[in-house]
Amino acid sequence: MADEARKKEIYEKLRNGVIQYDEDACREGAQEALDAGLDANEAIFDGLVSGMEEVGRLFEAQEYFVPEILMCADALYAGLDILKPHCKQMDLGVRGSVVIGTVEGDVHDIGKNLVKMMFDVAGFHVYDLGRDVPLDKFVDEQLKTDSELVCLSAMMTTSMVGMPTVIEKIKAKNPDCMIMIGGAPTSKDLADKWGADGYAEDASNALKEAIKMVGFLKKLRDEKLNKK
Amino acid sequence: MDAEPLKRFLKTEGATLVGIGDVTAALSSEIIHLRRGIAIAVNRNLNRETVDQLIRLQALAEGWLRAKGYRSLSIPADSDRKKDKMITKLYKLFCHKTAATCSGLGWVGKNGLLINREYGSKLSWATVLTNAPFRADAPTSQSECGDCDLCVRHCPSGAVKGEHWTLADPLKEIVSYEKCRALKTRRISHSSKPNCGFCITVCPYSRNGNNHGTT
């Protein structure tokens, strides 16, 4: 088992790898974490996610813009791909699966991909339907996978209008399924009106929400660890 | 801000053409802060070495800009786009022809390809977007194809419509990509070079005594 200093060094490498969008550093750091016998979940949260939190801060401070965020996300994935297979299922009560996609007529999927990243990090099983997804495909996929959560994304008003149809159909077949909508034209009012359970405004807000949620998970985990 | 030092630097490093375009009008919200497009072209066949050369030139431009405290985003050559990356999503928000036309290095011909007066379509392009406040070169606003319709007559798929491009309406469909693609799909089964390339070979600007570089 690695000593504390080594552990800190590796987590710092992962964190900085994400912040400086250095995919190679993230890959190396992830491999070092595994070689040193560190816990993969911990490496993800205290290394990669911690870096992404800083990225979110830099974005709010307008130090980073969308291109930087996407490059940071790519770096995070470079590390995540290596660590993920070694993750123990986290017992945080958030286990589950999610169906996600951009609705028919819309090919904008940057926000959707950032939200997807949050679910990947949190250990969800993600069924990513991609973009320009026929409305019924969401309903079918939810039934087939029995996912607890369905996320619908749209950037254009013209494609957003398909959302209430999907929500209605899914809720009719499976009232317990949670549905989140997101994208520039959506609003809390619309989410309420259509019976969706949550909403995120656009790619940058999606990232902020994603970080908040992952931060919350991290807190839950820390509390759990402290109790032991 | 004067862009000449950067242009000179990239040319000594092997770029055939370098232009600075004001690309503001073509930017989507994700990249709206990067208002200058540095169009970089090399007159070589598009192959792995050419792509590597473009990547090297982009990295040099980025380094030059970073050293002066500016942001940049490299849009790689069209044939060098890794598919499964998040950043890839941004690449298709910007097209090299925009940077090239905005910096006055050519126009979009009737064949839908960027045509430079000296090199025709025989150039490989890459773009670096930046927030450095460079003085922009004068854009090309009109097609210089004139009455020539060789590519219209020689296109085996009938995809070239004969329309004139203008900077004011860059999104007009000049070539039926559907027809062009359909022919390419048919050719893939029996040819290792599915792009027929007639619209380049017949173009007087591309023929114009211009062989590719030594490769």
Side-chain angles (χ1 to χ4, degrees):
Chain A
M1 199 59 185
D3 59 40
E4 277 301 314
R6 175 77 180 130
K7 186 162 127 181
K8 213 174 149 204
E9 186 190 328
I10 291 173
Y11 291 167
E12 197 61 20
K13 184 167 190 172
L14 288 168
R15 178 183 147 89
N16 287 332
V18 172
I19 298 172
Q20 290 154 14
Y21 38 91
D22 184 342
E23 292 182 30
D24 291 337
C26 284
R27 247 176 246 121
E28 273 170 35
Q31 197 51 54
E32 283 168 22
L34 293 179
D35 293 346
L38 298 176
D39 178 63
N41 276 324
E42 199 177 302
I44 291 175
F45 278 93
D46 294 347
L48 298 174
V49 171
S50 152
M52 208 62 197
E53 284 175 323
E54 176 64 11
V55 172
R57 201 194 62 74
L58 290 168
F59 182 74
E60 282 198 41
Q62 299 197 330
E63 299 255 338
Y64 274 14
F65 291 85
V66 176
E68 284 85 9
I69 287 197
L70 295 180
M71 289 189 277
C72 294
D74 280 329
L76 181 141
Y77 266 116
L80 191 63
D81 285 344
I82 293 171
L83 293 168
K84 200 87 187 272
H86 302 273
C87 277
K88 288 178 250 86
Q89 180 74 59
M90 270 186 297
D91 183 19
L92 296 173
V94 292
R95 237 171 310 191
S97 53
V98 53
V99 174
I100 189 167
T102 304
V103 295
E104 204 165 32
D106 216 316
V107 294
H108 304 88
D109 56 355
I110 290 173
K112 188 261 308 173
N113 287 340
L114 286 172
V115 175
K116 178 183 173 225
M117 174 178 73
M118 145 185 97
F119 287 118
D120 277 334
V121 166
F124 274 73
H125 196 100
V126 183
Y127 301 96
D128 183 4
L129 301 182
R131 56 202 185 131
D132 195 10
V133 180
L135 300 182
D136 281 335
K137 184 99 200 281
F138 286 102
V139 185
D140 295 346
E141 191 75 10
Q142 194 280 324
L143 277 179
K144 205 171 84 196
T145 60
D146 197 29
S147 294
E148 292 86 350
L149 194 57
V150 175
C151 295
L152 309 172
S153 162
M155 203 191 100
M156 301 188 304
T157 325
T158 43
S159 47
M160 176 187 75
V161 293
M163 286 179 168
T165 319
V166 182
I167 298 172
E168 197 179 318
K169 283 188 178 170
I170 292 178
K171 292 277 183 187
K173 289 183 178 165
N174 198 340
D176 289 339
C177 179
M178 300 265 281
I179 300 175
M180 286 174 71
I181 62 172
T186 60
S187 65
K188 175 145 195 335
D189 284 350
L190 280 177
D192 290 345
K193 192 173 140 202
W194 292 341
D197 302 280
Y199 119 94
E201 204 174 290
D202 54 23
S204 34
N205 277 291
L207 179 80
K208 225 159 49 189
E209 292 300 317
I211 288 169
K212 238 192 259 167
M213 181 156 160
V214 174
F216 182 68
L217 284 178
K218 205 169 137 186
K219 216 176 93 201
L220 273 181
R221 192 206 57 173
D222 291 345
E223 279 170 11
K224 216 168 185 97
L225 287 179
N226 289 338
K227 262 186 226 160
K228 272 182 193 167
Chain B
M1 178 178 167
D2 185 12
E4 279 311 314
L6 175 61
K7 284 187 183 177
R8 259 199 312 276
F9 170 56
L10 292 177
K11 282 180 182 167
T12 36
E13 291 291 338
T16 308
L17 299 172
V18 181
I20 309 286
D22 178 353
V23 295
T24 316
L27 297 175
S28 61
S29 62
E30 292 88 350
I31 46 176
I32 193 71
H33 57 295
L34 305 169
R35 287 161 184 263
R36 291 291 179 269
I38 305 166
I40 305 171
V42 294
N43 63 332
R44 296 166 45 111
N45 267 315
L46 189 54
N47 55 31
R48 189 62 236 175
E49 269 177 52
T50 305
V51 169
D52 287 342
Q53 166 78 324
L54 286 169
I55 291 173
R56 198 179 65 86
L57 290 168
Q58 286 181 309
L60 288 172
E62 288 207 343
W64 193 93
L65 292 162
R66 201 179 313 119
K68 298 195 161 35
Y70 296 111
R71 291 169 197 283
S72 58
L73 172 67
S74 281
I75 309 284
D78 290 344
S79 51
D80 184 46
R81 300 193 170 177
K82 294 178 191 76
K83 294 231 155 43
D84 51 349
K85 293 270 160 103
M86 309 257 288
I87 188 71
T88 314
K89 302 283 173 194
L90 287 188
Y91 297 158
K92 54 189 153 207
L93 297 178
F94 191 84
C95 143
H96 299 303
K97 289 175 198 161
T98 307
T101 54
C102 287
S103 53
L105 292 180
W107 66 95
V108 180
K110 287 180 186 170
N111 60 6
L113 300 166
L114 198 283
I115 300 182
N116 172 269
R117 210 176 280 165
E118 191 179 347
Y119 297 94
S121 300
K122 294 184 166 178
L123 290 165
S124 299
W125 294 89
T127 307
V128 178
L129 297 174
T130 181
N131 66 342
F134 286 129
R135 202 172 322 113
D137 299 327
T140 311
S141 54
Q142 298 284 341
S143 168
E144 293 178 26
C145 286
D147 293 333
C148 173
D149 63 349
L150 283 171
C151 57
V152 184
R153 287 191 274 134
H154 283 83
C155 176
S157 66
V160 182
K161 301 173 178 178
E163 305 257 359
H164 276 297
W165 166 91
T166 58
L167 187 65
D169 185 14
L171 296 177
K172 180 162 85 176
E173 197 185 72
I174 291 173
V175 170
S176 163
Y177 292 103
E178 206 176 312
K179 285 185 187 168
C180 180
R181 226 178 339 244
L183 177 73
K184 182 173 173 177
T185 315
R186 279 202 302 282
R187 284 170 58 99
I188 280 175
S189 59
H190 61 270
S191 169
S192 60
K193 288 188 171 169
N195 291 319
C196 75
F198 285 148
C199 57
I200 300 179
T201 9
V202 300
C203 178
Y205 284 105
S206 296
R207 276 184 306 175
N208 210 6
N210 277 306
N211 292 317
H212 278 297
T214 46
T215 49

